[in-house]
Amino acid sequence: MRCALPQNARAFGSTTTSSTKFSTGPRPAAITTRAATSNSEIDVTSRRDCLLELSSLAAGLAAWGLAPAAATAGPPGQVPMVGTYLPPAGVDDLVLFVPDSKKTPAIRAGTVNPDSPYRFALPPKFREGKVANILSGNYCQPRCDEPWTEVIFESSTEGRIAVIVSPLVKLTRQKDARIEDVGTPQGILNSLGSYITGTYIEEDDVVSATSKQQEDGRTYYYYELNAPYGTLGPHSYSACTTKGDIALLFIASANEKQWANSKDALRKAAETFRA
């Protein structure tokens, strides 16, 4: 007798990057009968046998790199804090994140240069989140027409960090344009502000909009927003610049309680972002 697997467990070959929770649901009695030459025999598959079979499947998925990261690192259902595996960034207690050459669909496709990808610092208690496949650009690389999400990091007490990349053509027809050639800080915010708040943006939401040329030779636009209706948290620090034929947007957002705990760290994280 074979243990029937939950329906969504059969979709392990999917390329989605979102975390999948397996649900066994109501389990029917796993009892079957079969005729024997002289007597009926009852073959009972116990719950323990089913769990053993599922455990074997999970081990197989992990071996092939198909299991969610949360299932193979740290306590069950929990991704480790970035401070346990990322190096110090040299800014307070922040740690440095630099994606490797296979980290995201855009990097694997070469849309984001795998030899010199973006980088940023973040607080050590954040954990990496899952980017839904439909948001990752996996279906359209290397020629995506719409912005996509590269990475997400989250903390229940400190906020959320994300990197969003947009084709430069969404902002300008000029090839390889520098951000200062594309528009002013306010003009760029009008185009990309909805990605910061998760919804629309109003003029009164803008606490500050500044620009600064960094040591990598690029100009970055920096924003602080207070958008009470923002779906990703009302408060945010963001950094935006261009590189080649893409525009990159770093967003550190938080709700009221998180903001009180971590606004200084989130501001410093935004200031460390480099394309």
Side-chain angles (χ1 to χ4, degrees):
M1 175 65 182
R2 294 184 179 179
C3 178
L5 299 179
Q7 184 176 359
N8 59 352
R10 298 191 181 98
F12 66 88
S14 170
T15 56
T16 181
T17 57
S18 61
S19 178
T20 301
K21 294 183 179 179
F22 290 86
S23 174
T24 59
R27 187 181 298 275
I31 302 177
T32 63
T33 60
R34 51 179 176 166
T37 56
S38 57
N39 297 309
S40 297
E41 296 178 357
I42 299 177
D43 184 12
V44 180
T45 301
S46 68
R47 179 179 179 84
R48 180 179 179 181
D49 291 336
C50 291
L51 293 175
L52 287 173
E53 187 170 341
L54 290 175
S55 298
S56 298
L57 173 63
L61 294 181
W64 284 94
L66 296 172
T72 58
Q78 189 175 64
V79 176
M81 294 180 180
V82 296
T84 64
Y85 60 89
L86 291 181
V91 180
D92 294 345
D93 65 340
L94 304 184
V95 294
L96 180 64
F97 172 76
V98 183
D100 62 37
S101 61
K102 298 184 182 299
K103 182 65 177 177
T104 72
I107 294 176
R108 294 193 296 269
T111 309
V112 173
N113 189 339
D115 296 324
S116 59
Y118 52 84
R119 60 185 61 206
F120 56 88
L122 71 164
K125 293 184 179 180
F126 273 60
R127 304 176 193 271
E128 186 169 4
K130 293 294 182 180
V131 180
N133 202 37
I134 194 171
L135 301 178
S136 70
N138 189 44
Y139 292 121
C140 56
Q141 296 295 342
R143 292 290 182 265
C144 292
D145 295 325
E146 299 295 330
W148 65 90
T149 301
E150 279 285 290
V151 292
I152 295 173
F153 293 89
E154 299 170 306
S155 166
S156 61
T157 59
E158 296 181 81
R160 179 181 187 271
I161 286 173
V163 174
I164 293 178
V165 177
S166 171
L168 189 59
V169 71
K170 296 288 290 185
L171 302 176
T172 180
R173 294 291 181 181
Q174 182 180 345
K175 189 175 179 59
D176 297 330
R178 302 179 70 85
I179 195 167
E180 58 266 38
D181 298 326
V182 177
T184 63
Q186 186 61 51
I188 297 297
L189 185 60
N190 290 339
S191 298
L192 299 179
S194 62
Y195 294 99
I196 299 175
T197 64
T199 179
Y200 60 91
I201 186 172
E202 295 181 349
E203 185 176 352
D204 292 343
D205 300 338
V206 183
V207 178
S208 65
T210 61
S211 66
K212 182 178 181 179
Q213 187 175 48
Q214 295 290 2
E215 75 284 348
D216 61 356
R218 300 184 187 281
T219 297
Y220 291 76
Y221 289 171
Y222 296 100
Y223 305 102
E224 180 184 349
L225 301 184
N226 183 7
Y229 46 81
T231 61
L232 302 178
H235 298 283
S236 65
Y237 286 119
S238 302
C240 185
T241 193
T242 61
K243 182 179 182 180
D245 59 358
I246 58 175
L248 300 99
L249 178 64
F250 174 95
I251 307 164
S253 55
N255 60 33
E256 295 290 350
K257 187 174 182 179
Q258 293 167 338
W259 190 251
N261 293 333
S262 60
K263 63 180 181 180
D264 291 338
L266 295 180
R267 175 180 55 80
K268 290 178 181 178
E271 292 173 349
T272 67
F273 179 71
R274 298 292 182 271

